[in-house]
């Protein structure tokens, strides 16, 4: 069995060990050591990366109590090697994991619910709870969790006997057998856990609950802790600064400026729609009773394209095809009072490098073709 140094000292960054086995598995070499500080993937926490004897460790897994290091090259059995974990990656995971425990412990304690899912992603942590929460609830939990973090409590880790475990009130997602590792943040959380954690809550720094959405029978919370919180703030602050410059608004007044701009946009869209309808009606009158009609127009929105096609078709009485765009790329809409236009859509797509379809009396899509090719296609239909 591999000696797991990460449990004795989660802040162990480098170590020496002896290679016990090295077996090639596809494009990697599975290396086992007599001792390791590399944490294998498990319990929602991703695996450590780093180097062993100068060889890159791309993944770490646990198999039957042995920690297996998947390396980019072989190591000699019996060789003494120096290991170095990617500390920035590990410390980030420790901050996220400890922050999640503190948030989950406080939340579950207040709402008498369970943490039913947990994942440390590349950018965010997701936590699932089988309880409904309001936005005010989430803000209260965030405030309580950060207050606990700033009080700088010490972590406690224990391996209770079966008798002691039976009397202990702790969180766990499943029934456990054998030796159970209990990780406690006194006053906030007590949980069965196999992962690595910071030693004091102050090392988490800060937690931010970024979103809370309904998920299955409860909610899913997105969270960031530690340095990720600062990184996330810097991205958002940078975007807000840019928005404030574009809107000529103060950074703390961008929402109001966007609301004003949105109201102006809605009003402008209404005016454009009214002008467009009058123009479409004028154009439709030119084709009164004309029968089948083909129009090639400048680019317009899909909704405008449908409106124009419908207006002209109603006036003309026959099949109306409208192509809107230019420079070899067009959106199209075809309407007819009767018959089935779907075979025509297939022919348009085949002849004009297009895609689309629809209902018997209306089809729409796009083509990659020149205006002359479109005209020749419809001339051949006459």
């Amino acid at each position: 069995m591999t000696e797991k140094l990460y449990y004795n000292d989660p802040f162990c960054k480098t170590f020496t060990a002896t290679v016990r086995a090295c077996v090639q598995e596809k494009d990697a070499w599975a290396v086992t050591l007599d001792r390791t500080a590399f944490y294998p993937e498990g319990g929602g926490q991703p695996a450590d990366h780093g180097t062993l004897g100068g060889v890159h460790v791309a993944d770490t897994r646990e198999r039957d109590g042995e920690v297996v290091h998947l390396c980019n090259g072989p190591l000699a059995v019996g060789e003494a090697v120096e290991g170095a974990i990617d500390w920035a990656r590990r410390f980030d995971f420790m901050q996220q994991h400890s922050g999640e425990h503190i948030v989950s412990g406080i939340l579950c304690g207040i709402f008498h619910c369970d943490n039913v899912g947990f994942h440390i992603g590349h950018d965010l942590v997701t936590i699932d709870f089988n309880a409904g929460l309001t936005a005010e609830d989430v803000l209260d939990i965030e405030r309580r969790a950060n207050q606990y973090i700033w009080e700088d409590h010490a972590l406690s880790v224990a391996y209770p006997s079966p008798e002691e475990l039976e009397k202990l009130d702790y969180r766990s997602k499943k029934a456990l057998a054998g030796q159970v590792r209990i990780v406690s943040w006194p006053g906030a959380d007590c949980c069965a856990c196999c992962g690595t954690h910071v030693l004091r809550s102050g090392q988490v720094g800060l937690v931010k609950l970024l979103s809370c959405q309904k998920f299955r029978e409860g909610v899913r919370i997105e969270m960031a802790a530690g340095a990720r919180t600062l990184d996330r703030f810097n991205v958002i602050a940078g975007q807000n600064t840019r928005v404030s410059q574009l809107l000529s608004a103060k950074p703390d007044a961008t929402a109001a400026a966007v609301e004003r701009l949105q109201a102006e946009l809605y009003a402008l869209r209404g005016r454009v729609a009214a002008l467009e309808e009058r123009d479409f009606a004028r154009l439709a009158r030119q084709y009164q009773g004309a029968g089948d009609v083909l129009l090639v127009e400048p680019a317009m929105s899909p909704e405008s394209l449908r409106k124009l096609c419908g207006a002209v078709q109603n006036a003309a009485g026959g099949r109306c095809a409208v192509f809107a765009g230019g420079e070899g790329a067009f959106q199209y809409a075809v309407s007819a009072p009767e018959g089935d236009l779907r075979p025509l859509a297939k022919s348009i797509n085949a002849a004009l490098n297009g895609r689309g379809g629809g209902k018997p009396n209306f089809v729409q899509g796009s083509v990659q073709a020149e205006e002359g090719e479109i005209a020749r296609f419809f001339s051949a239909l006459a």
Side-chain angles (χ1 to χ4, degrees), residues 39-303:
Y39 178 77
E41 181 178 6
Q45 180 175 329
D48 283 339
H49 295 173
T51 60
L52 279 177
V55 176
H56 179 62
V57 178
D59 198 5
T60 315
R61 302 173 188 174
E62 185 167 7
R63 300 173 184 171
D64 300 323
E66 296 281 6
V67 177
V68 179
H69 311 76
L70 297 180
C71 302
N72 289 358
L75 294 171
V77 175
E79 177 185 4
V81 294
E82 180 173 335
I85 66 171
D86 181 339
W87 178 245
R89 174 184 169 90
R90 158 70 83 76
F91 187 65
D92 169 54
F93 293 155
M94 287 163 54
Q95 285 187 312
Q96 308 313 311
H97 203 162
S98 295
E100 179 273 325
H101 269 237
I102 292 168
V103 167
S104 292
I106 293 173
L107 191 152
C108 292
I110 292 175
F111 292 96
H112 306 290
C113 62
D114 301 307
N115 172 329
V116 294
F118 159 60
H119 175 68
I120 299 177
H122 178 70
D123 297 313
L124 300 171
V125 175
T126 57
I127 324 170
D128 301 333
F129 299 97
N130 56 2
L133 299 174
T134 66
E136 291 75 17
D137 294 333
V138 173
L139 287 174
D140 182 56
I141 295 299
E142 178 182 274
R143 179 187 61 78
R144 291 171 183 265
N146 281 308
Q147 182 61 44
Y148 184 89
I149 288 168
W150 300 331
E151 290 169 358
D152 199 26
H153 297 269
L155 176 74
S156 173
V157 178
Y159 296 85
S161 66
E163 294 75 21
E164 292 171 327
L165 189 65
E166 190 174 344
K167 299 176 183 178
L168 197 61
D169 183 17
Y170 66 96
R171 293 190 300 115
S172 178
K173 297 184 183 69
K174 59 183 180 180
L176 301 172
Q179 182 69 72
V180 177
R181 182 173 181 259
I182 297 294
V183 172
S184 299
W185 290 103
D189 186 44
C190 181
C191 184
C193 179
C194 62
T196 58
H197 293 268
V198 295
L199 299 179
R200 302 191 66 88
S201 63
Q203 292 167 326
V204 174
L206 178 75
V207 293
K208 179 63 182 174
L209 306 186
L210 298 160
S211 71
C212 180
Q213 300 176 343
K214 181 174 175 53
F215 181 73
R216 295 178 181 169
E217 301 304 314
V219 296
R220 168 167 288 178
I221 287 178
E222 289 184 325
M223 183 199 89
R228 289 194 190 190
T229 313
L230 178 61
D231 292 341
R232 174 67 54 154
F233 171 82
N234 286 337
V235 169
I236 294 172
Q239 290 178 342
N240 191 55
T241 297
R242 180 61 178 148
V243 170
S244 72
Q245 292 170 346
L246 292 171
L247 297 177
S248 298
K250 293 181 179 180
D252 60 353
T254 52
V258 169
E259 288 173 355
R260 289 195 298 271
L261 187 65
Q262 195 173 48
E264 293 172 4
L265 178 61
Y266 285 155
L268 184 60
R269 283 178 176 174
R271 291 181 57 195
V272 169
L275 290 170
E276 203 173 53
E277 286 205 17
R278 288 203 293 270
D279 187 54
F280 290 169
R282 177 193 58 77
L283 187 60
R285 286 194 294 271
Q286 297 178 17
Y287 293 95
Q288 189 70 41
D292 292 346
V293 175
L294 168 65
L295 297 178
V296 179
E297 299 288 325
M300 63 183 72
S301 71
E303 182 180 0

